[in-house]
Amino acid sequence: MTQMQTVEQTLTINHFINGAETSGSGTRTQDVFNPATGAITGELRLANREDLENAVAAAKAASRVWNDISLAKRTAVLFAFRELVAAHTEELAVLVTAEHGKVLADAKGEINRGLEVVEFACGIPQQLKGDYSDQVSTGIDVFSFRQPLGVVAGITPFNFPVMVPLWMAPMAIATGNAFILKPSERDPSASLLLARLWKEAGLPDGVFQVLHGDKETVDGLLTHPDIDGISFVGSTPVARYVHETATAHGKRVQALGGAKNHAIVLPDADLDNAADHLSAAAFGSAGERCMAISVAVAVGAAADLLVDKVTERATAIKVANGMEPDAEMGPIITQASRERIVQIVTEAEKAGAALVVDGRALMVEGHEEGFWVGPTVLDHVKAEMSAYTEEIFGPVLAVVRVDTLEDGIRLINANPYGNGTAIFTSSGAAARLFQRSVTVGMIGINVPLPVPVAYHSFGGWKASFFGDKHIYGPEGVSFYTRGKVVTSRWPEPKQPSGASYNFPSNS
Ligand code: NAD
C-alpha cells in the first residue's frame, strides 16, 4: 500500500434507486482508483438481479406518473436542475478529476457542455408541438404528436462521466420517459451527485436512477422486457454488441462507438495555428476523448514543419495531478490502459515509425504510483501499424504523410471509424471538397474538436455508430419518442351514413 492510499479515504459508492441511495442486495464490488495516485478511493457496489428488478419496477411506475405531468411542470424541473448543476459545477468537477484524472478546468468544460443539453431540454415544449392539418376531408382533421417510449436506460463510458449522461438523461426525461443510468464503473461518483440534484430539482422518485454494474447489469438492461430504449456510448465492440442484443429484444437503440479521428493539414494552413489545435486535440484529457485527434495527415510540404511545431508543444505540456492549478494533462484511467498504450507505441517504433516525442517513461514526482504516459508523437506511421489501426485512447499523435488532399481523403474513408475529422487549410475549395467527400459524421474546418452544439445532434458514421438516431438535439427528441397520428371527426354526423366497405377516400 502506498503512502497516498493510507491517507485517502475509501468510500462506498451506492446505487440510487427510487429516490434514495441504497447499497442494494448485490454482494459483488469493484475498486475505484484515483489514477493520479494509484490509490483505491472507492468501493463500488455492483447490482444483482434483484437491484435491477427494483430499479426497473420503480422506473416503470414513475414513467406513467411523469408522462402525465404537464409540460409546464416538467420544464420547471428541468430549469431547476439546470441551475443546480451550474451551482455544483466545482463539486462535480472535483469528483470527475478524482476518479477520471482529467484536469479540473477540463472537467468543468465537460460539465458546461452537458449543461447545454439541459438548456436545450428546457425548451422541450417547442420540440414536442406536433403538426395539425385542418379539414383533410370534409369535417375531418389530422394531427400528429409524439409520446415517450416509457423506460429507457443509458450506459455510459468513463471518459465523460458527467457530459455523456447529460447527453441522454435531460432529453429522455424532458420527453416524458423514466431513465436508468448505468455509469462507467471506473468513475461512478459524479452520477450520484447528479441523482441528488435531480431529486432536489423536484423530479419524482424513480424518474432518474443510477444502477452500478458491469456486463452482468448491462445484459440485464439490454434484455429486460420493461425497458423500451437503450442509449449507449462506449467502445465499438461493446456498442455493436449492445445494438445487436437490445434490438434482438425489441428495443430502440442508439449506440455510439469508438473513433480514430484524422486531421488533414494542408501546406496552405497556418501551421502554428494547426499545431496549437492538433496538440490540444491530441493531448487534452490525455487523448481520452472520442473526438480526440489521434492521426495528423500531413500533406506534402506541411509535414516537416508541422512535426517540428507539434513536437515543440508536446514537450512543453505540464503533466500533473489534475487537481494542481497549472496541470495541463492528467494521468491515464487505469494501469492496464497505460500498459496497452506503451505497448502500441513500442510496436510502432519496431515497425519503423519515428518516435519523435516519447512519453512512455514519464513519471510525476510525488505520484510514482499514478498511471502516467506523457505526450507522444509518432512520425512516418503507416496504415498497417497497430498505432494506426487501433483506437489508442491515450496521448499519442500518429503522423501519416501523404502527397495530396485526395490521398488524405482516401485514407480517412478507408478507415473503419467515422466519428470526427478536421481539416486545416486557408482554401475554401479544399475545405468544401473535404466536407462533401469524407464518410464521417462530424467535421471541423480549422476546428479540431467539432463537437456539435446541443441544438444539433452528435454522432458518427460507420463503426463509430450503430442505430438510426444520433444523440441529443432534434434526433435525441425523435429517439426518445414515438409518433402518433390522429384522424378525427367532430361533431359526429347526425345521420348515420351506413357502413362502407371500400377503402376510405377523402372528399
Ligand atoms: P467501454 O465500451 O469499455 O464501456 C462503456 C460502458 O459499457 C461502460 O458502462 C461499461 O460498464 C460497459 N461495458 C464494458 N464492457 C462491456 C461488455 N463486454 N458488455 C456489456 N457492457 C460492457 O468504453 P470505455 O472504455 O468506458 O470508454 C471509452 C470508449 O468510449 C472509447 O472507445 C471512446 O471512443 C468511446 N466513446 C465514444 C463516444 C462517442 O460519442 N462516439 C463518446 C465517448 C466515448
PDB file of all heavy atoms in Angstrom, residues 352-368:
ATOM      1  N   GLY A 352       8.939   0.616 -37.603  1.00  0.00           N
ATOM      2  CA  GLY A 352       9.566   1.617 -38.475  1.00  0.00           C
ATOM      3  C   GLY A 352       9.073   3.045 -38.310  1.00  0.00           C
ATOM      4  O   GLY A 352       9.550   3.946 -39.007  1.00  0.00           O
ATOM      5  N   ALA A 353       8.144   3.285 -37.399  1.00  0.00           N
ATOM      6  CA  ALA A 353       7.712   4.670 -37.165  1.00  0.00           C
ATOM      7  C   ALA A 353       8.819   5.412 -36.405  1.00  0.00           C
ATOM      8  O   ALA A 353       9.597   4.796 -35.678  1.00  0.00           O
ATOM      9  CB  ALA A 353       6.423   4.683 -36.353  1.00  0.00           C
ATOM     10  N   ALA A 354       8.872   6.727 -36.609  1.00  0.00           N
ATOM     11  CA  ALA A 354       9.873   7.529 -35.896  1.00  0.00           C
ATOM     12  C   ALA A 354       9.242   8.053 -34.604  1.00  0.00           C
ATOM     13  O   ALA A 354       8.232   8.762 -34.648  1.00  0.00           O
ATOM     14  CB  ALA A 354      10.330   8.684 -36.771  1.00  0.00           C
ATOM     15  N   LEU A 355       9.847   7.693 -33.471  1.00  0.00           N
ATOM     16  CA  LEU A 355       9.308   8.124 -32.167  1.00  0.00           C
ATOM     17  C   LEU A 355       9.914   9.492 -31.837  1.00  0.00           C
ATOM     18  O   LEU A 355      10.974   9.600 -31.237  1.00  0.00           O
ATOM     19  CB  LEU A 355       9.661   7.065 -31.112  1.00  0.00           C
ATOM     20  CG  LEU A 355       9.081   7.213 -29.723  1.00  0.00           C
ATOM     21  CD1 LEU A 355       7.577   7.461 -29.747  1.00  0.00           C
ATOM     22  CD2 LEU A 355       9.380   5.962 -28.903  1.00  0.00           C
ATOM     23  N   VAL A 356       9.214  10.535 -32.240  1.00  0.00           N
ATOM     24  CA  VAL A 356       9.757  11.891 -32.143  1.00  0.00           C
ATOM     25  C   VAL A 356       9.658  12.425 -30.716  1.00  0.00           C
ATOM     26  O   VAL A 356      10.549  13.092 -30.219  1.00  0.00           O
ATOM     27  CB  VAL A 356       8.991  12.833 -33.110  1.00  0.00           C
ATOM     28  CG1 VAL A 356       9.620  14.213 -33.126  1.00  0.00           C
ATOM     29  CG2 VAL A 356       8.955  12.255 -34.504  1.00  0.00           C
ATOM     30  N   VAL A 357       8.531  12.153 -30.062  1.00  0.00           N
ATOM     31  CA  VAL A 357       8.391  12.500 -28.642  1.00  0.00           C
ATOM     32  C   VAL A 357       7.941  11.218 -27.941  1.00  0.00           C
ATOM     33  O   VAL A 357       6.952  10.599 -28.351  1.00  0.00           O
ATOM     34  CB  VAL A 357       7.338  13.616 -28.416  1.00  0.00           C
ATOM     35  CG1 VAL A 357       7.269  13.984 -26.931  1.00  0.00           C
ATOM     36  CG2 VAL A 357       7.641  14.850 -29.254  1.00  0.00           C
ATOM     37  N   ASP A 358       8.685  10.814 -26.923  1.00  0.00           N
ATOM     38  CA  ASP A 358       8.435   9.526 -26.264  1.00  0.00           C
ATOM     39  C   ASP A 358       7.948   9.764 -24.833  1.00  0.00           C
ATOM     40  O   ASP A 358       8.716  10.184 -23.980  1.00  0.00           O
ATOM     41  CB  ASP A 358       9.748   8.719 -26.259  1.00  0.00           C
ATOM     42  CG  ASP A 358       9.568   7.341 -25.639  1.00  0.00           C
ATOM     43  OD1 ASP A 358       8.439   7.001 -25.236  1.00  0.00           O
ATOM     44  OD2 ASP A 358      10.565   6.591 -25.569  1.00  0.00           O
ATOM     45  N   GLY A 359       6.668   9.498 -24.597  1.00  0.00           N
ATOM     46  CA  GLY A 359       6.106   9.750 -23.256  1.00  0.00           C
ATOM     47  C   GLY A 359       6.033   8.503 -22.403  1.00  0.00           C
ATOM     48  O   GLY A 359       5.442   8.525 -21.323  1.00  0.00           O
ATOM     49  N   ARG A 360       6.633   7.392 -22.872  1.00  0.00           N
ATOM     50  CA  ARG A 360       6.420   6.115 -22.180  1.00  0.00           C
ATOM     51  C   ARG A 360       6.974   6.090 -20.761  1.00  0.00           C
ATOM     52  O   ARG A 360       6.413   5.444 -19.892  1.00  0.00           O
ATOM     53  CB  ARG A 360       7.050   4.972 -22.991  1.00  0.00           C
ATOM     54  CG  ARG A 360       6.302   4.672 -24.277  1.00  0.00           C
ATOM     55  CD  ARG A 360       7.028   3.647 -25.101  1.00  0.00           C
ATOM     56  NE  ARG A 360       8.341   4.115 -25.532  1.00  0.00           N
ATOM     57  CZ  ARG A 360       9.217   3.407 -26.212  1.00  0.00           C
ATOM     58  NH1 ARG A 360       8.923   2.166 -26.543  1.00  0.00           N
ATOM     59  NH2 ARG A 360      10.386   3.913 -26.564  1.00  0.00           N
ATOM     60  N   ALA A 361       8.072   6.770 -20.546  1.00  0.00           N
ATOM     61  CA  ALA A 361       8.718   6.653 -19.231  1.00  0.00           C
ATOM     62  C   ALA A 361       8.349   7.799 -18.292  1.00  0.00           C
ATOM     63  O   ALA A 361       8.916   7.912 -17.207  1.00  0.00           O
ATOM     64  CB  ALA A 361      10.226   6.604 -19.423  1.00  0.00           C
ATOM     65  N   LEU A 362       7.424   8.632 -18.689  1.00  0.00           N
ATOM     66  CA  LEU A 362       7.124   9.815 -17.874  1.00  0.00           C
ATOM     67  C   LEU A 362       6.692   9.430 -16.443  1.00  0.00           C
ATOM     68  O   LEU A 362       5.916   8.512 -16.243  1.00  0.00           O
ATOM     69  CB  LEU A 362       5.997  10.634 -18.519  1.00  0.00           C
ATOM     70  CG  LEU A 362       5.630  11.866 -17.693  1.00  0.00           C
ATOM     71  CD1 LEU A 362       5.832  13.121 -18.514  1.00  0.00           C
ATOM     72  CD2 LEU A 362       4.197  11.784 -17.201  1.00  0.00           C
ATOM     73  N   MET A 363       7.242  10.138 -15.496  1.00  0.00           N
ATOM     74  CA  MET A 363       6.869   9.931 -14.098  1.00  0.00           C
ATOM     75  C   MET A 363       6.621  11.297 -13.463  1.00  0.00           C
ATOM     76  O   MET A 363       7.300  12.259 -13.783  1.00  0.00           O
ATOM     77  CB  MET A 363       8.033   9.208 -13.389  1.00  0.00           C
ATOM     78  CG  MET A 363       7.688   8.745 -11.998  1.00  0.00           C
ATOM     79  SD  MET A 363       6.133   7.857 -11.893  1.00  0.00           S
ATOM     80  CE  MET A 363       6.468   6.409 -12.879  1.00  0.00           C
ATOM     81  N   VAL A 364       5.598  11.372 -12.626  1.00  0.00           N
ATOM     82  CA  VAL A 364       5.293  12.642 -11.971  1.00  0.00           C
ATOM     83  C   VAL A 364       5.738  12.542 -10.517  1.00  0.00           C
ATOM     84  O   VAL A 364       5.297  11.641  -9.791  1.00  0.00           O
ATOM     85  CB  VAL A 364       3.788  12.971 -12.091  1.00  0.00           C
ATOM     86  CG1 VAL A 364       3.424  14.193 -11.268  1.00  0.00           C
ATOM     87  CG2 VAL A 364       3.420  13.187 -13.556  1.00  0.00           C
ATOM     88  N   GLU A 365       6.605  13.449 -10.143  1.00  0.00           N
ATOM     89  CA  GLU A 365       7.186  13.417  -8.797  1.00  0.00           C
ATOM     90  C   GLU A 365       6.111  13.441  -7.707  1.00  0.00           C
ATOM     91  O   GLU A 365       5.151  14.230  -7.791  1.00  0.00           O
ATOM     92  CB  GLU A 365       8.103  14.624  -8.634  1.00  0.00           C
ATOM     93  CG  GLU A 365       9.346  14.293  -7.832  1.00  0.00           C
ATOM     94  CD  GLU A 365      10.155  15.549  -7.562  1.00  0.00           C
ATOM     95  OE1 GLU A 365      10.470  16.253  -8.530  1.00  0.00           O
ATOM     96  OE2 GLU A 365      10.410  15.813  -6.368  1.00  0.00           O
ATOM     97  N   GLY A 366       6.261  12.580  -6.743  1.00  0.00           N
ATOM     98  CA  GLY A 366       5.295  12.517  -5.646  1.00  0.00           C
ATOM     99  C   GLY A 366       4.065  11.690  -6.006  1.00  0.00           C
ATOM    100  O   GLY A 366       3.189  11.467  -5.176  1.00  0.00           O
ATOM    101  N   HIS A 367       3.992  11.239  -7.264  1.00  0.00           N
ATOM    102  CA  HIS A 367       2.847  10.448  -7.736  1.00  0.00           C
ATOM    103  C   HIS A 367       3.371   9.202  -8.453  1.00  0.00           C
ATOM    104  O   HIS A 367       2.903   8.847  -9.541  1.00  0.00           O
ATOM    105  CB  HIS A 367       1.987  11.274  -8.700  1.00  0.00           C
ATOM    106  CG  HIS A 367       1.260  12.398  -8.033  1.00  0.00           C
ATOM    107  ND1 HIS A 367       1.884  13.519  -7.561  1.00  0.00           N
ATOM    108  CD2 HIS A 367      -0.053  12.562  -7.754  1.00  0.00           C
ATOM    109  CE1 HIS A 367       0.997  14.340  -7.024  1.00  0.00           C
ATOM    110  NE2 HIS A 367      -0.198  13.781  -7.122  1.00  0.00           N
ATOM    111  N   GLU A 368       4.342   8.548  -7.838  1.00  0.00           N
ATOM    112  CA  GLU A 368       5.034   7.448  -8.523  1.00  0.00           C
ATOM    113  C   GLU A 368       4.124   6.257  -8.807  1.00  0.00           C
ATOM    114  O   GLU A 368       4.410   5.448  -9.683  1.00  0.00           O
ATOM    115  CB  GLU A 368       6.260   6.996  -7.696  1.00  0.00           C
ATOM    116  CG  GLU A 368       7.453   7.942  -7.787  1.00  0.00           C
ATOM    117  CD  GLU A 368       7.273   9.253  -7.002  1.00  0.00           C
ATOM    118  OE1 GLU A 368       6.347   9.316  -6.161  1.00  0.00           O
ATOM    119  OE2 GLU A 368       8.032  10.215  -7.237  1.00  0.00           O
TER     120      GLU A 368
END
